[in-house]
Amino acid sequence: MRSTRTFLAAAAAVALALSLPATASAGEEPPILQEWSSQLGAPFSIALDGTRVYVADGATGTIGQLQPDGQIAPLIAGIPGLTGLAIRGASMAWASSVEDGSTEPPVILESGLNIRGPKGTVTYADLHAYEVANNPDAGNAYGITDPNPCVVEATGGAPLSYTGLIDAHAYNVASWKGEWLVADAGANAVMRVTDSGQVSTLAVLPPVPVTLTAESAGMLGLPACAAGDTYYVEPVPAGITVGSGGVIYVTTLPGFPGETASQGALWQVGTDGSATQIVSGLSGPTSAAVKGRDVYVAELFGAGVTQVTGGTASPFAALNGAVSVAVASNGTVWAATMDLSGGPGTLVSIAKGKVHVNAALVR
């Protein structure tokens, strides 16, 4: 996808609303949703270290740590294009992408993963340079690969399909087997990054087939007779999380006109590069977290936080504008929202019982 920020900017404004999670089963005490902060702009990522809660706010370029009084204590500031954040022991990694917004579509100037080791030294893995040199999704064909003859005639034989473009956009990050995984929303791939900054491709997500309607054809500048043709959409990986045994889960939000439609999906990615779809029909799934058999997905344009268990998706917490999610070892789910109309974002916990936050700063 040419720009994840274009995806966010093109969406209709989302009104912020907080609701209790789905009703618990009879005899069970329902979890409690508690709002901790409303001083965030674009909380693209949440990272947990025990009872320490960290937030990457892309609006301010700040990585902060939640305090018990709801304040977000800044730890690292001034990060242009900040997106994803992950923690592994005394190490921390954050993704960032900087683009030239004066062009249409915007041009990515730099994109990479910043890895801070236990001694505070930061190593930069240049994902943009890797994309230029390797273009992992060059073998993917997007667009209409088998067009209706009337479409070919109406477009004068103009190309209706294309292969993967040079377009890195590091988004979310996860720790995996002593390394880091990056969901690259521009490269349409999951990148594997070592602590020393070496980059390789773990998996390329497959194109998403969408049947065109007259409306979506018009949005693409195609004639009405393109309705019924299959358009292969860029998958746009955004959320990434690792479960027990190193199992990798990725969410995708297809880059396509009408992106707020329910075309997103959750995938399981194998070390051999395979990608198996677990559920589809998600609306803007920008983040994922896992505990045991349960995968929690933040749907920016959907029902809020969705719980996926055994291939079945069900509502977990109604949280409009949910953009990021994380789950603690004790089962507490943390989620953050953003208001695409420019209002404040929030950070909430969803848990049974009292939630404790560690105030000690780790800089």
Side-chain angles (χ1 to χ4, degrees):
M1 183 183 180
R2 290 188 175 88
S3 172
T4 304
R5 281 174 175 59
T6 300
F7 156 72
L8 293 173
V14 177
L16 182 64
L18 303 178
S19 301
L20 290 177
T23 303
S25 301
E28 288 186 13
E29 185 166 334
I32 297 171
L33 188 150
Q34 178 181 353
E35 180 179 308
W36 288 81
S37 174
S38 59
Q39 53 181 282
L40 300 164
F44 290 135
S45 186
I46 302 169
L48 304 177
D49 179 18
T51 55
R52 291 186 175 92
V53 182
Y54 301 88
V55 183
D57 192 340
T60 61
T62 302
I63 296 173
Q65 182 179 334
L66 177 65
Q67 297 297 289
D69 63 357
Q71 296 297 308
I72 305 293
L75 301 180
I76 305 173
I79 306 172
L82 173 64
T83 50
L85 175 66
I87 291 174
R88 186 183 71 236
S91 297
M92 174 183 289
W94 62 90
S96 60
S97 293
V98 178
E99 62 187 29
D100 180 0
S102 66
T103 64
E104 183 53 47
V107 175
I108 294 293
L109 302 177
E110 60 180 88
S111 182
L113 184 68
N114 308 267
I115 306 161
R116 191 180 74 173
K119 296 183 179 180
T121 302
V122 177
T123 299
Y124 182 70
D126 193 335
L127 296 180
H128 178 64
Y130 179 84
E131 168 80 352
V132 170
N134 298 276
N135 192 13
D137 72 332
N140 280 359
Y142 306 112
I144 306 176
T145 58
D146 185 22
N148 186 313
C150 80
V151 179
V152 177
E153 181 179 353
T155 56
L160 296 171
S161 65
Y162 64 98
T163 54
L165 305 172
I166 301 294
D167 180 29
H169 196 130
Y171 194 68
N172 262 312
V173 191
S175 174
W176 179 75
K177 296 185 177 181
E179 298 181 347
W180 308 95
L181 298 179
V182 180
D184 195 312
N188 297 313
V190 175
M191 303 301 190
R192 180 176 177 176
V193 183
T194 67
D195 282 343
S196 63
Q198 297 300 306
V199 183
S200 59
T201 304
L202 178 72
V204 177
L205 277 295
V208 179
V210 174
T211 301
L212 291 177
T213 63
E215 180 182 9
S216 58
M219 295 175 71
L220 291 167
L222 297 172
C225 65
D229 277 355
T230 298
Y231 192 102
Y232 291 92
V233 180
E234 296 187 42
V236 192
I240 187 163
T241 187
V242 176
S244 60
V247 178
I248 303 162
Y249 300 94
V250 176
T251 63
T252 58
L253 37 90
F256 190 69
E259 286 166 308
T260 58
S262 298
Q263 298 167 343
L266 173 68
W267 304 75
Q268 183 175 320
V269 173
T271 55
D272 60 353
S274 61
T276 303
Q277 189 176 105
I278 299 174
V279 295
S280 59
L282 302 176
S283 189
T286 51
S287 178
V290 61
K291 184 179 187 325
R293 298 176 59 248
D294 301 323
V295 182
Y296 299 91
V297 178
E299 294 186 65
L300 186 60
F301 308 116
V305 178
T306 294
Q307 180 178 327
V308 179
T309 306
T312 300
S314 56
F316 178 73
L319 198 64
N320 288 351
V323 69
S324 57
V325 65
V327 59
S329 59
N330 64 2
T332 297
V333 175
W334 290 87
T337 68
M338 65 180 293
D339 184 346
L340 298 180
S341 64
T346 67
L347 176 65
V348 305
S349 64
I350 307 162
K352 296 180 180 180
K354 189 173 179 61
V355 176
H356 298 277
V357 172
N358 191 331
L361 300 181
V362 178
R363 298 186 182 275

Short mmCIF file of all heavy atoms in Angstrom, two decimals, residues 198-261:
data_model
loop_
_atom_site.label_atom_id
_atom_site.label_comp_id
_atom_site.label_asym_id
_atom_site.label_seq_id
_atom_site.Cartn_x
_atom_site.Cartn_y
_atom_site.Cartn_z
N GLN A 198 20.29 -6.62 10.92
CA GLN A 198 20.21 -7.37 9.67
C GLN A 198 18.75 -7.66 9.34
O GLN A 198 17.99 -8.12 10.20
CB GLN A 198 20.99 -8.67 9.78
CG GLN A 198 22.49 -8.47 10.02
CD GLN A 198 23.15 -7.69 8.91
OE1 GLN A 198 23.04 -8.06 7.73
NE2 GLN A 198 23.83 -6.60 9.26
N VAL A 199 18.36 -7.42 8.09
CA VAL A 199 16.96 -7.55 7.67
C VAL A 199 16.82 -8.69 6.67
O VAL A 199 17.66 -8.87 5.78
CB VAL A 199 16.46 -6.25 7.02
CG1 VAL A 199 14.98 -6.36 6.64
CG2 VAL A 199 16.69 -5.06 7.94
N SER A 200 15.75 -9.46 6.81
CA SER A 200 15.40 -10.48 5.83
C SER A 200 13.88 -10.57 5.77
O SER A 200 13.18 -10.05 6.63
CB SER A 200 16.01 -11.84 6.18
OG SER A 200 15.58 -12.27 7.46
N THR A 201 13.38 -11.23 4.75
CA THR A 201 11.93 -11.39 4.58
C THR A 201 11.48 -12.70 5.18
O THR A 201 11.99 -13.76 4.81
CB THR A 201 11.55 -11.36 3.09
OG1 THR A 201 12.03 -10.15 2.49
CG2 THR A 201 10.04 -11.45 2.92
N LEU A 202 10.54 -12.64 6.11
CA LEU A 202 9.98 -13.87 6.66
C LEU A 202 8.82 -14.35 5.81
O LEU A 202 8.71 -15.54 5.49
CB LEU A 202 9.50 -13.64 8.10
CG LEU A 202 8.85 -14.87 8.75
CD1 LEU A 202 9.91 -15.92 9.07
CD2 LEU A 202 8.09 -14.49 10.01
N ALA A 203 7.93 -13.44 5.42
CA ALA A 203 6.75 -13.84 4.65
C ALA A 203 6.23 -12.66 3.84
O ALA A 203 6.34 -11.51 4.26
CB ALA A 203 5.66 -14.35 5.59
N VAL A 204 5.67 -12.97 2.69
CA VAL A 204 4.96 -11.99 1.86
C VAL A 204 3.48 -12.36 1.90
O VAL A 204 3.12 -13.51 1.62
CB VAL A 204 5.47 -11.99 0.41
CG1 VAL A 204 4.66 -11.02 -0.44
CG2 VAL A 204 6.96 -11.63 0.37
N LEU A 205 2.65 -11.41 2.27
CA LEU A 205 1.20 -11.69 2.36
C LEU A 205 0.60 -11.72 0.95
O LEU A 205 1.02 -10.95 0.08
CB LEU A 205 0.51 -10.66 3.22
CG LEU A 205 0.56 -10.87 4.74
CD1 LEU A 205 -0.19 -12.13 5.14
CD2 LEU A 205 1.98 -10.92 5.27
N PRO A 206 -0.39 -12.60 0.72
CA PRO A 206 -0.95 -12.73 -0.62
C PRO A 206 -1.91 -11.61 -0.98
O PRO A 206 -2.53 -11.01 -0.09
CB PRO A 206 -1.69 -14.08 -0.55
CG PRO A 206 -2.09 -14.19 0.88
CD PRO A 206 -0.96 -13.57 1.67
N PRO A 207 -2.06 -11.32 -2.27
CA PRO A 207 -3.07 -10.35 -2.69
C PRO A 207 -4.47 -10.80 -2.26
O PRO A 207 -4.74 -12.00 -2.14
CB PRO A 207 -2.96 -10.35 -4.22
CG PRO A 207 -1.59 -10.87 -4.50
CD PRO A 207 -1.30 -11.86 -3.41
N VAL A 208 -5.34 -9.83 -2.02
CA VAL A 208 -6.69 -10.12 -1.55
C VAL A 208 -7.67 -9.92 -2.71
O VAL A 208 -7.81 -8.80 -3.22
CB VAL A 208 -7.07 -9.20 -0.38
CG1 VAL A 208 -8.49 -9.48 0.09
CG2 VAL A 208 -6.08 -9.36 0.76
N PRO A 209 -8.37 -10.97 -3.14
CA PRO A 209 -9.32 -10.82 -4.24
C PRO A 209 -10.60 -10.13 -3.79
O PRO A 209 -11.22 -10.52 -2.81
CB PRO A 209 -9.59 -12.27 -4.67
CG PRO A 209 -9.33 -13.08 -3.44
CD PRO A 209 -8.25 -12.37 -2.68
N VAL A 210 -10.98 -9.09 -4.52
CA VAL A 210 -12.21 -8.35 -4.24
C VAL A 210 -13.02 -8.25 -5.53
O VAL A 210 -12.48 -7.88 -6.58
CB VAL A 210 -11.90 -6.93 -3.71
CG1 VAL A 210 -13.19 -6.13 -3.54
CG2 VAL A 210 -11.14 -6.99 -2.40
N THR A 211 -14.28 -8.61 -5.45
CA THR A 211 -15.15 -8.49 -6.62
C THR A 211 -15.63 -7.05 -6.74
O THR A 211 -16.23 -6.51 -5.81
CB THR A 211 -16.36 -9.44 -6.51
OG1 THR A 211 -15.89 -10.79 -6.39
CG2 THR A 211 -17.25 -9.32 -7.73
N LEU A 212 -15.34 -6.44 -7.88
CA LEU A 212 -15.70 -5.04 -8.08
C LEU A 212 -17.21 -4.85 -8.21
O LEU A 212 -17.91 -5.68 -8.80
CB LEU A 212 -15.02 -4.49 -9.33
CG LEU A 212 -13.50 -4.32 -9.29
CD1 LEU A 212 -12.98 -3.85 -10.64
CD2 LEU A 212 -13.09 -3.35 -8.19
N THR A 213 -17.68 -3.76 -7.65
CA THR A 213 -19.04 -3.30 -7.88
C THR A 213 -18.95 -2.09 -8.80
O THR A 213 -17.85 -1.56 -9.06
CB THR A 213 -19.72 -2.89 -6.57
OG1 THR A 213 -18.99 -1.77 -6.00
CG2 THR A 213 -19.71 -4.04 -5.57
N ALA A 214 -20.07 -1.63 -9.30
CA ALA A 214 -20.06 -0.43 -10.14
C ALA A 214 -19.49 0.76 -9.37
O ALA A 214 -18.74 1.58 -9.92
CB ALA A 214 -21.46 -0.14 -10.64
N GLU A 215 -19.82 0.82 -8.07
CA GLU A 215 -19.33 1.93 -7.25
C GLU A 215 -17.82 1.87 -7.06
O GLU A 215 -17.12 2.87 -7.26
CB GLU A 215 -20.02 1.91 -5.89
CG GLU A 215 -19.57 3.04 -4.97
CD GLU A 215 -20.23 2.97 -3.60
OE1 GLU A 215 -20.90 1.96 -3.31
OE2 GLU A 215 -20.07 3.93 -2.83
N SER A 216 -17.30 0.69 -6.67
CA SER A 216 -15.86 0.60 -6.45
C SER A 216 -15.09 0.74 -7.75
O SER A 216 -13.99 1.29 -7.79
CB SER A 216 -15.51 -0.71 -5.75
OG SER A 216 -15.93 -1.84 -6.49
N ALA A 217 -15.67 0.27 -8.86
CA ALA A 217 -15.03 0.45 -10.16
C ALA A 217 -14.90 1.94 -10.48
O ALA A 217 -13.85 2.41 -10.95
CB ALA A 217 -15.82 -0.26 -11.25
N GLY A 218 -15.97 2.69 -10.21
CA GLY A 218 -15.93 4.13 -10.45
C GLY A 218 -14.89 4.82 -9.60
O GLY A 218 -14.21 5.76 -10.06
N MET A 219 -14.71 4.38 -8.35
CA MET A 219 -13.70 4.97 -7.47
C MET A 219 -12.29 4.72 -7.98
O MET A 219 -11.37 5.48 -7.71
CB MET A 219 -13.86 4.41 -6.06
CG MET A 219 -15.17 4.79 -5.39
SD MET A 219 -15.41 4.00 -3.78
CE MET A 219 -14.21 4.88 -2.79
N LEU A 220 -12.14 3.63 -8.76
CA LEU A 220 -10.84 3.31 -9.34
C LEU A 220 -10.66 3.94 -10.72
O LEU A 220 -9.62 3.77 -11.35
CB LEU A 220 -10.69 1.79 -9.46
CG LEU A 220 -10.55 1.02 -8.15
CD1 LEU A 220 -10.73 -0.48 -8.39
CD2 LEU A 220 -9.19 1.30 -7.51
N GLY A 221 -11.68 4.66 -11.17
CA GLY A 221 -11.60 5.27 -12.49
C GLY A 221 -11.86 4.30 -13.62
O GLY A 221 -11.47 4.53 -14.77
N LEU A 222 -12.54 3.19 -13.30
CA LEU A 222 -12.83 2.16 -14.30
C LEU A 222 -14.28 2.29 -14.77
O LEU A 222 -15.13 2.81 -14.04
CB LEU A 222 -12.60 0.78 -13.71
CG LEU A 222 -11.17 0.45 -13.28
CD1 LEU A 222 -11.11 -0.87 -12.53
CD2 LEU A 222 -10.25 0.41 -14.49
N PRO A 223 -14.58 1.79 -15.96
CA PRO A 223 -15.97 1.86 -16.45
C PRO A 223 -16.88 0.94 -15.66
O PRO A 223 -16.43 0.00 -15.00
CB PRO A 223 -15.84 1.40 -17.91
CG PRO A 223 -14.63 0.53 -17.92
CD PRO A 223 -13.68 1.17 -16.95
N ALA A 224 -18.17 1.19 -15.75
CA ALA A 224 -19.15 0.41 -14.98
C ALA A 224 -19.11 -1.06 -15.36
O ALA A 224 -19.44 -1.93 -14.53
CB ALA A 224 -20.55 0.98 -15.21
N CYS A 225 -18.70 -1.37 -16.59
CA CYS A 225 -18.68 -2.77 -17.01
C CYS A 225 -17.59 -3.57 -16.30
O CYS A 225 -17.52 -4.79 -16.46
CB CYS A 225 -18.53 -2.88 -18.53
SG CYS A 225 -16.96 -2.28 -19.18
N ALA A 226 -16.76 -2.91 -15.50
CA ALA A 226 -15.76 -3.63 -14.70
C ALA A 226 -16.41 -4.33 -13.52
O ALA A 226 -15.77 -5.18 -12.87
CB ALA A 226 -14.67 -2.68 -14.22
N ALA A 227 -17.66 -3.98 -13.21
CA ALA A 227 -18.37 -4.64 -12.11
C ALA A 227 -18.41 -6.13 -12.37
O ALA A 227 -18.76 -6.59 -13.46
CB ALA A 227 -19.78 -4.07 -11.97
N GLY A 228 -18.04 -6.90 -11.37
CA GLY A 228 -17.99 -8.35 -11.51
C GLY A 228 -16.59 -8.87 -11.73
O GLY A 228 -16.31 -10.05 -11.48
N ASP A 229 -15.67 -8.00 -12.19
CA ASP A 229 -14.28 -8.41 -12.35
C ASP A 229 -13.63 -8.57 -10.97
O ASP A 229 -14.04 -7.92 -9.99
CB ASP A 229 -13.50 -7.39 -13.16
CG ASP A 229 -13.68 -7.58 -14.67
OD1 ASP A 229 -14.33 -8.56 -15.06
OD2 ASP A 229 -13.18 -6.73 -15.44
N THR A 230 -12.60 -9.38 -10.89
CA THR A 230 -11.86 -9.56 -9.65
C THR A 230 -10.66 -8.61 -9.63
O THR A 230 -9.86 -8.59 -10.57
CB THR A 230 -11.36 -11.00 -9.49
OG1 THR A 230 -12.48 -11.88 -9.44
CG2 THR A 230 -10.55 -11.15 -8.21
N TYR A 231 -10.59 -7.83 -8.57
CA TYR A 231 -9.47 -6.91 -8.38
C TYR A 231 -8.62 -7.45 -7.23
O TYR A 231 -9.12 -7.68 -6.13
CB TYR A 231 -9.98 -5.51 -8.05
CG TYR A 231 -8.92 -4.43 -8.11
CD1 TYR A 231 -8.83 -3.58 -9.21
CD2 TYR A 231 -8.01 -4.25 -7.08
CE1 TYR A 231 -7.87 -2.59 -9.28
CE2 TYR A 231 -7.03 -3.27 -7.14
CZ TYR A 231 -6.97 -2.44 -8.24
OH TYR A 231 -6.00 -1.47 -8.31
N TYR A 232 -7.35 -7.70 -7.50
CA TYR A 232 -6.45 -8.22 -6.47
C TYR A 232 -5.81 -7.05 -5.73
O TYR A 232 -5.04 -6.27 -6.29
CB TYR A 232 -5.40 -9.14 -7.09
CG TYR A 232 -6.01 -10.43 -7.59
CD1 TYR A 232 -6.45 -10.54 -8.92
CD2 TYR A 232 -6.20 -11.50 -6.73
CE1 TYR A 232 -7.04 -11.72 -9.37
CE2 TYR A 232 -6.80 -12.68 -7.18
CZ TYR A 232 -7.20 -12.77 -8.49
OH TYR A 232 -7.81 -13.93 -8.94
N VAL A 233 -6.16 -6.95 -4.46
CA VAL A 233 -5.81 -5.80 -3.64
C VAL A 233 -4.54 -6.08 -2.84
O VAL A 233 -4.30 -7.22 -2.40
CB VAL A 233 -6.98 -5.48 -2.67
CG1 VAL A 233 -6.67 -4.29 -1.79
CG2 VAL A 233 -8.25 -5.25 -3.47
N GLU A 234 -3.74 -5.05 -2.59
CA GLU A 234 -2.58 -5.20 -1.72
C GLU A 234 -3.06 -5.54 -0.31
O GLU A 234 -4.01 -4.95 0.20
CB GLU A 234 -1.76 -3.92 -1.72
CG GLU A 234 -1.16 -3.60 -3.08
CD GLU A 234 -0.21 -2.42 -3.03
OE1 GLU A 234 0.58 -2.33 -2.07
OE2 GLU A 234 -0.25 -1.59 -3.97
N PRO A 235 -2.40 -6.50 0.38
CA PRO A 235 -2.91 -6.97 1.67
C PRO A 235 -2.70 -6.00 2.83
O PRO A 235 -3.48 -5.97 3.77
CB PRO A 235 -2.13 -8.27 1.90
CG PRO A 235 -0.88 -8.11 1.10
CD PRO A 235 -1.27 -7.30 -0.11
N VAL A 236 -1.61 -5.23 2.85
CA VAL A 236 -1.32 -4.23 3.88
C VAL A 236 -1.28 -4.82 5.30
O VAL A 236 -2.19 -4.62 6.09
CB VAL A 236 -2.31 -3.04 3.83
CG1 VAL A 236 -1.79 -1.88 4.70
CG2 VAL A 236 -2.51 -2.55 2.41
N PRO A 237 -0.24 -5.56 5.64
CA PRO A 237 -0.10 -6.04 7.02
C PRO A 237 0.10 -4.89 7.99
O PRO A 237 0.91 -3.99 7.74
CB PRO A 237 1.13 -6.95 6.96
CG PRO A 237 1.87 -6.52 5.73
CD PRO A 237 0.86 -5.99 4.77
N ALA A 238 -0.64 -4.91 9.09
CA ALA A 238 -0.56 -3.81 10.06
C ALA A 238 -0.28 -4.31 11.47
O ALA A 238 0.59 -3.80 12.16
CB ALA A 238 -1.85 -3.00 10.03
N GLY A 239 -1.05 -5.29 11.94
CA GLY A 239 -0.85 -5.80 13.29
C GLY A 239 -0.03 -7.07 13.28
O GLY A 239 -0.13 -7.88 12.36
N ILE A 240 0.80 -7.25 14.30
CA ILE A 240 1.59 -8.48 14.40
C ILE A 240 1.79 -8.83 15.87
O ILE A 240 2.00 -7.94 16.71
CB ILE A 240 2.95 -8.35 13.68
CG1 ILE A 240 3.68 -9.69 13.64
CG2 ILE A 240 3.82 -7.26 14.30
CD1 ILE A 240 4.80 -9.74 12.63
N THR A 241 1.67 -10.12 16.19
CA THR A 241 1.84 -10.58 17.56
C THR A 241 2.33 -12.01 17.54
O THR A 241 2.14 -12.72 16.54
CB THR A 241 0.52 -10.46 18.36
OG1 THR A 241 0.76 -10.75 19.73
CG2 THR A 241 -0.54 -11.40 17.82
N VAL A 242 2.97 -12.42 18.63
CA VAL A 242 3.54 -13.76 18.72
C VAL A 242 2.97 -14.48 19.93
O VAL A 242 2.99 -13.95 21.04
CB VAL A 242 5.07 -13.71 18.82
CG1 VAL A 242 5.65 -15.10 19.01
CG2 VAL A 242 5.67 -13.04 17.58
N GLY A 243 2.44 -15.69 19.71
CA GLY A 243 1.86 -16.48 20.78
C GLY A 243 2.82 -17.53 21.30
O GLY A 243 4.02 -17.55 20.95
N SER A 244 2.31 -18.41 22.14
CA SER A 244 3.14 -19.46 22.72
C SER A 244 3.69 -20.36 21.61
O SER A 244 3.02 -20.62 20.62
CB SER A 244 2.32 -20.29 23.71
OG SER A 244 1.21 -20.88 23.06
N GLY A 245 4.93 -20.81 21.81
CA GLY A 245 5.57 -21.63 20.80
C GLY A 245 6.07 -20.85 19.60
O GLY A 245 6.48 -21.43 18.60
N GLY A 246 6.02 -19.51 19.70
CA GLY A 246 6.50 -18.68 18.60
C GLY A 246 5.54 -18.56 17.44
O GLY A 246 5.95 -18.16 16.34
N VAL A 247 4.26 -18.89 17.64
CA VAL A 247 3.27 -18.79 16.56
C VAL A 247 3.01 -17.32 16.24
O VAL A 247 2.78 -16.50 17.14
CB VAL A 247 1.96 -19.48 16.96
CG1 VAL A 247 0.91 -19.34 15.86
CG2 VAL A 247 2.21 -20.96 17.25
N ILE A 248 3.05 -16.98 14.97
CA ILE A 248 2.95 -15.59 14.52
C ILE A 248 1.56 -15.32 13.95
O ILE A 248 1.06 -16.08 13.12
CB ILE A 248 4.01 -15.29 13.45
CG1 ILE A 248 5.42 -15.60 13.98
CG2 ILE A 248 3.92 -13.84 12.97
CD1 ILE A 248 6.45 -15.75 12.88
N TYR A 249 0.95 -14.22 14.39
CA TYR A 249 -0.33 -13.78 13.86
C TYR A 249 -0.17 -12.38 13.27
O TYR A 249 0.51 -11.52 13.84
CB TYR A 249 -1.39 -13.73 14.96
CG TYR A 249 -1.64 -15.08 15.62
CD1 TYR A 249 -0.96 -15.44 16.78
CD2 TYR A 249 -2.56 -15.98 15.07
CE1 TYR A 249 -1.19 -16.67 17.39
CE2 TYR A 249 -2.79 -17.21 15.67
CZ TYR A 249 -2.10 -17.55 16.83
OH TYR A 249 -2.32 -18.77 17.42
N VAL A 250 -0.81 -12.17 12.13
CA VAL A 250 -0.73 -10.88 11.42
C VAL A 250 -2.13 -10.46 11.00
O VAL A 250 -2.92 -11.30 10.55
CB VAL A 250 0.18 -10.99 10.18
CG1 VAL A 250 0.19 -9.68 9.40
CG2 VAL A 250 1.60 -11.36 10.58
N THR A 251 -2.42 -9.17 11.14
CA THR A 251 -3.67 -8.65 10.60
C THR A 251 -3.38 -7.86 9.33
O THR A 251 -2.33 -7.24 9.19
CB THR A 251 -4.41 -7.73 11.59
OG1 THR A 251 -3.59 -6.59 11.88
CG2 THR A 251 -4.72 -8.47 12.87
N THR A 252 -4.33 -7.90 8.40
CA THR A 252 -4.19 -7.14 7.16
C THR A 252 -5.43 -6.29 6.94
O THR A 252 -6.53 -6.66 7.31
CB THR A 252 -4.01 -8.07 5.94
OG1 THR A 252 -5.12 -8.97 5.85
CG2 THR A 252 -2.72 -8.88 6.07
N LEU A 253 -5.22 -5.11 6.33
CA LEU A 253 -6.33 -4.22 6.01
C LEU A 253 -6.17 -3.77 4.56
O LEU A 253 -5.47 -2.83 4.25
CB LEU A 253 -6.36 -3.02 6.97
CG LEU A 253 -5.05 -2.41 7.46
CD1 LEU A 253 -4.60 -1.29 6.52
CD2 LEU A 253 -5.22 -1.86 8.84
N PRO A 254 -6.79 -4.48 3.63
CA PRO A 254 -6.54 -4.27 2.21
C PRO A 254 -6.59 -2.81 1.77
O PRO A 254 -7.49 -2.07 2.15
CB PRO A 254 -7.66 -5.08 1.53
CG PRO A 254 -7.98 -6.13 2.52
CD PRO A 254 -7.83 -5.49 3.87
N GLY A 255 -5.58 -2.41 0.99
CA GLY A 255 -5.54 -1.05 0.46
C GLY A 255 -6.44 -0.93 -0.75
O GLY A 255 -6.08 -1.35 -1.85
N PHE A 256 -7.60 -0.36 -0.55
CA PHE A 256 -8.62 -0.38 -1.59
C PHE A 256 -9.63 0.71 -1.32
O PHE A 256 -9.86 1.07 -0.16
CB PHE A 256 -9.32 -1.75 -1.58
CG PHE A 256 -10.23 -2.00 -2.75
CD1 PHE A 256 -9.71 -2.17 -4.02
CD2 PHE A 256 -11.60 -2.06 -2.58
CE1 PHE A 256 -10.54 -2.41 -5.10
CE2 PHE A 256 -12.45 -2.30 -3.66
CZ PHE A 256 -11.90 -2.47 -4.92
N PRO A 257 -10.24 1.31 -2.36
CA PRO A 257 -11.32 2.26 -2.12
C PRO A 257 -12.40 1.65 -1.24
O PRO A 257 -12.79 0.50 -1.43
CB PRO A 257 -11.86 2.54 -3.53
CG PRO A 257 -10.70 2.31 -4.42
CD PRO A 257 -9.94 1.16 -3.79
N GLY A 258 -12.87 2.40 -0.27
CA GLY A 258 -13.82 1.86 0.68
C GLY A 258 -13.12 1.00 1.72
O GLY A 258 -13.63 -0.02 2.15
N GLU A 259 -11.92 1.45 2.14
CA GLU A 259 -11.10 0.64 3.05
C GLU A 259 -11.75 0.42 4.41
O GLU A 259 -11.31 -0.43 5.17
CB GLU A 259 -9.74 1.32 3.24
CG GLU A 259 -8.84 1.17 2.03
CD GLU A 259 -7.67 2.10 2.10
OE1 GLU A 259 -7.88 3.31 2.30
OE2 GLU A 259 -6.53 1.64 1.95
N THR A 260 -12.77 1.20 4.71
CA THR A 260 -13.43 0.98 5.99
C THR A 260 -14.38 -0.22 5.92
O THR A 260 -14.94 -0.62 6.93
CB THR A 260 -14.22 2.23 6.41
OG1 THR A 260 -15.17 2.54 5.40
CG2 THR A 260 -13.30 3.40 6.62
N ALA A 261 -14.58 -0.76 4.72
CA ALA A 261 -15.44 -1.94 4.59
C ALA A 261 -14.75 -3.12 5.27
O ALA A 261 -13.56 -3.11 5.55
CB ALA A 261 -15.71 -2.24 3.12
#
